[in-house]
Amino acid sequence: MRVRKLTFAALAVAATLSLTACNDEDLTGQGDPSAASTVSPSGGSGSESSKGSDGSEKAGGQQDTGSGSESGSGSGGGGAEKCRTDDLDISATDGTISGDSEGMVVVEFKNLGGKDCVLAAYAGVDLKTGSGSLSAERTGQEADTTVLKDGESTFFGVTYPMNDSGGSGVSVSALLVTPPNETKSFSVEWPSSNTLPVTDGSGSSVRVGPMGSAGQGGES
């Protein structure tokens, strides 16, 4: 009996030590606050990175807003702004070629703004006539955006029906020219002695070509 009592006592001590060891392991995993709050330096809430629209990562969740030092310019603009009326020297010359059935006025835009600027396809052109204002229609020619270098010029043509009736026709005094995407117009003296025919509207119209559609001296 003495031997059995000692054996039971030994088993009881061993069971107590085993239970204590298990409790110690649980406390080690849960009781250390630093073990639960450790965050990897490359991720986690404190230094989370995010991707912008271009796929590049921005540290600290910074969003890529797309803003930068370049200003918008449209297609082929290369960062240049639109050409403004006040920065352009606008003039017109008679580009009519002898024998042609239509007359032509060549309008020149010279950039004096001190920096490159952008011109869209068409300018607005109105003719001041003895019978009122006449708006030129676009020719419909395909044209790209033009980057006008500082100090350089571009030319476009305005074609019109010439008066061959023998009568006085309709006199033209000036061209009212508005650069693309601008609201301020510039008045240019009509450079030709030709007049427009008196018409009921069935004849050919006054048309304006896109930027670069005419060269200096009226060459297309």
Side-chain angles (χ1 to χ4, degrees), residues 71-150:
S71 58
S73 61
S75 175
E81 297 179 354
K82 70 176 182 180
C83 297
R84 300 187 180 278
T85 305
D86 292 338
D87 294 332
L88 296 172
D89 179 30
I90 303 175
S91 59
T93 56
D94 186 4
T96 304
I97 299 175
S98 178
D100 281 359
S101 60
E102 289 186 319
M104 174 180 279
V105 169
V106 177
V107 180
E108 176 183 1
F109 280 178
K110 185 173 184 179
N111 181 8
L112 301 179
K115 58 184 178 180
D116 299 352
C117 62
V118 174
L119 290 167
Y122 286 87
V125 176
D126 294 294
L127 278 65
K128 292 182 178 180
T129 77
S131 301
S133 180
L134 178 64
S135 295
E137 300 176 0
R138 295 180 178 183
T139 61
Q141 291 174 258
E142 185 177 351
D144 295 326
T145 297
T146 300
V147 178
L148 188 58
K149 301 291 186 180
D150 180 39

Side-chain angles (χ1 to χ4, degrees), residues 14-218:
T16 303
L17 291 175
S18 177
L19 181 60
T20 303
C22 291
N23 289 337
D24 287 344
E25 288 179 0
D26 293 340
L27 291 173
T28 301
Q30 298 178 1
D32 185 0
S34 62
S37 59
T38 300
V39 179
S40 171
S42 61
S45 59
S47 58
E48 183 178 357
S49 62
S50 63
K51 289 187 177 181
S53 58
D54 60 353
S56 59
E57 289 191 351
K58 305 295 181 179
Q62 181 181 358
Q63 297 295 319
D64 185 1
T65 61
S67 61
S69 58
E70 288 189 354
S71 58
S73 61
S75 175
E81 297 179 354
K82 70 176 182 180
C83 297
R84 300 187 180 278
T85 305
D86 292 338
D87 294 332
L88 296 172
D89 179 30
I90 303 175
S91 59
T93 56
D94 186 4
T96 304
I97 299 175
S98 178
D100 281 359
S101 60
E102 289 186 319
M104 174 180 279
V105 169
V106 177
V107 180
E108 176 183 1
F109 280 178
K110 185 173 184 179
N111 181 8
L112 301 179
K115 58 184 178 180
D116 299 352
C117 62
V118 174
L119 290 167
Y122 286 87
V125 176
D126 294 294
L127 278 65
K128 292 182 178 180
T129 77
S131 301
S133 180
L134 178 64
S135 295
E137 300 176 0
R138 295 180 178 183
T139 61
Q141 291 174 258
E142 185 177 351
D144 295 326
T145 297
T146 300
V147 178
L148 188 58
K149 301 291 186 180
D150 180 39
E152 295 186 358
S153 297
T154 189
F155 304 84
F156 63 92
V158 179
T159 57
Y160 60 93
M162 291 189 293
N163 176 30
D164 56 5
S165 65
S168 59
V170 178
S171 62
V172 183
S173 59
L175 293 170
L176 196 63
V177 182
T178 308
N181 298 320
E182 271 283 73
T183 56
K184 185 176 182 179
S185 302
F186 188 85
S187 182
V188 183
E189 185 178 353
W190 178 251
S192 174
S193 59
N194 294 325
T195 60
L196 304 180
V198 178
T199 176
D200 57 3
S202 60
S204 60
S205 59
V206 179
R207 295 172 296 165
V208 55
M211 295 295 162
S213 61
Q216 190 173 10

